[in-house]
Amino acid sequence: MKNNLLISHRWKTLGWILAVPAFFAGIYLMYLDSPDDYFQVTVPRWLEGFLWVDDGFWNSTVKPTTLSLLDEVICISLLLGLLLLAFSKEKIEDEWIQRVRLESLQWAILINTLLLIAFTIFMHGFIFVAVMELNMFTPLLVFVGRFYYVLRIKPSFSKQ
Amino acid sequence: MKNTIRVERAILNISQAELAERVQVTRQTINAIELGKYSPSAVLAIKIARVFGKKMEDVFELEEGD
């Protein structure tokens, strides 16, 4: 089966290395009292003009001199790791695996959309923004979770 | 689509893994086809039938509703 969007199987290892620690670090981050105190870096002057820091209703008057990169590093590691896991080929990439890919993608979009609808109905104010942050990861998390469940975990329940 | 892969395998005395290797797919794919959970493409169906030295129609059969 030809699929030009998929990358080499070798990227899978890097995917796991990035995604798993970032996933747990992300959970830990949610319980930190002041996550912005960690991993502080000074913003170079030339970069200030490119940063948008919202200090009110779409105002961007404050230019930060220091930024905490902890959440950015965790977020990008998790997204990149999950992306590598989702787009790297299996050792033998055959037509049934392609179908599992398609089904997993459908599950991911379905669950993500149902969650979005539920959040929109039940969450209001700041909590809505907070759950939306988590919602950034749901499509890839559901995809990767379902794909590897069908391929690796489910067969061990039903050995021939 | 029904198939007689399990029977044919028994005649040849080969495992799902061996058949999978011969037609260059995963063992799970052969398992899914045997259980009727997945209908293979024409290419794969012909390859499987060839391993058993048969025609595709001798191994695979349409069911009602297909």
Side-chain angles (χ1 to χ4, degrees), chain A residues 96 99 158-160, chain B residues 1-11 13-20 23 25-40 44 48 52 59-60 63:
Chain A
W96 177 71
R99 195 180 75 157
S158 55
K159 279 264 187 273
Q160 59 169 317
Chain B
M1 198 159 66
K2 284 190 293 188
N3 65 75
T4 56
I5 295 178
R6 193 174 283 264
V7 179
E8 298 290 348
R9 274 200 307 109
I11 295 168
N13 195 23
I14 55 171
S15 65
Q16 285 187 340
E18 282 174 272
L19 175 60
V23 294
V25 294
T26 58
R27 194 197 59 78
Q28 291 108 303
T29 303
I30 299 296
N31 190 44
I33 297 170
E34 271 190 15
L35 294 172
K37 287 180 180 170
Y38 176 66
S39 295
L44 181 55
I48 291 170
F52 303 132
V59 181
F60 297 93
E63 277 180 302

Side-chain angles (χ1 to χ4, degrees), chain A residues 27-70:
Chain A
I27 292 173
Y28 182 65
L29 186 73
M30 289 196 296
Y31 292 99
L32 282 179
D33 285 335
S34 47
D36 287 343
D37 293 346
Y38 300 86
F39 210 166
Q40 291 260 2
V41 291
T42 310
V43 178
R45 273 191 169 262
W46 61 268
L47 194 62
E48 283 178 11
F50 295 100
L51 296 179
W52 183 307
V53 180
D54 186 14
D55 65 328
F57 193 74
W58 292 103
N59 279 324
S60 183
T61 50
V62 178
K63 293 293 174 204
T65 50
T66 59
L67 273 180
S68 162
L69 286 188
L70 185 64

Side-chain angles (χ1 to χ4, degrees), chain A residues 14-145:
Chain A
L14 182 64
W16 287 116
I17 292 170
L18 284 174
V20 174
F23 179 78
F24 290 107
I27 292 173
Y28 182 65
L29 186 73
M30 289 196 296
Y31 292 99
L32 282 179
D33 285 335
S34 47
D36 287 343
D37 293 346
Y38 300 86
F39 210 166
Q40 291 260 2
V41 291
T42 310
V43 178
R45 273 191 169 262
W46 61 268
L47 194 62
E48 283 178 11
F50 295 100
L51 296 179
W52 183 307
V53 180
D54 186 14
D55 65 328
F57 193 74
W58 292 103
N59 279 324
S60 183
T61 50
V62 178
K63 293 293 174 204
T65 50
T66 59
L67 273 180
S68 162
L69 286 188
L70 185 64
D71 48 347
E72 280 81 0
V73 168
I74 291 173
C75 177
I76 290 171
S77 299
L78 184 54
L79 285 175
L80 211 59
L82 289 172
L83 202 66
L84 289 177
L85 287 176
F87 279 78
S88 55
K89 284 181 195 158
E90 287 301 296
K91 262 188 190 145
I92 302 171
E93 184 78 24
D94 66 18
E95 56 187 55
W96 177 71
I97 289 175
Q98 289 285 328
R99 195 180 75 157
V100 177
R101 266 184 205 289
L102 175 64
E103 284 176 355
S104 303
L105 180 66
Q106 289 168 329
W107 273 110
I109 298 298
L110 180 71
I111 291 175
N112 187 52
T113 310
L114 291 178
L115 282 175
L116 278 174
I117 292 170
F119 291 160
T120 310
I121 294 171
F122 296 111
M123 309 269 180
H124 298 274
F126 180 73
I127 189 76
F128 180 75
V129 181
V131 292
M132 278 302 113
E133 279 181 24
L134 299 179
N135 201 233
M136 295 193 297
F137 307 103
T138 34
L140 278 171
L141 274 176
V142 174
F143 177 88
V144 168

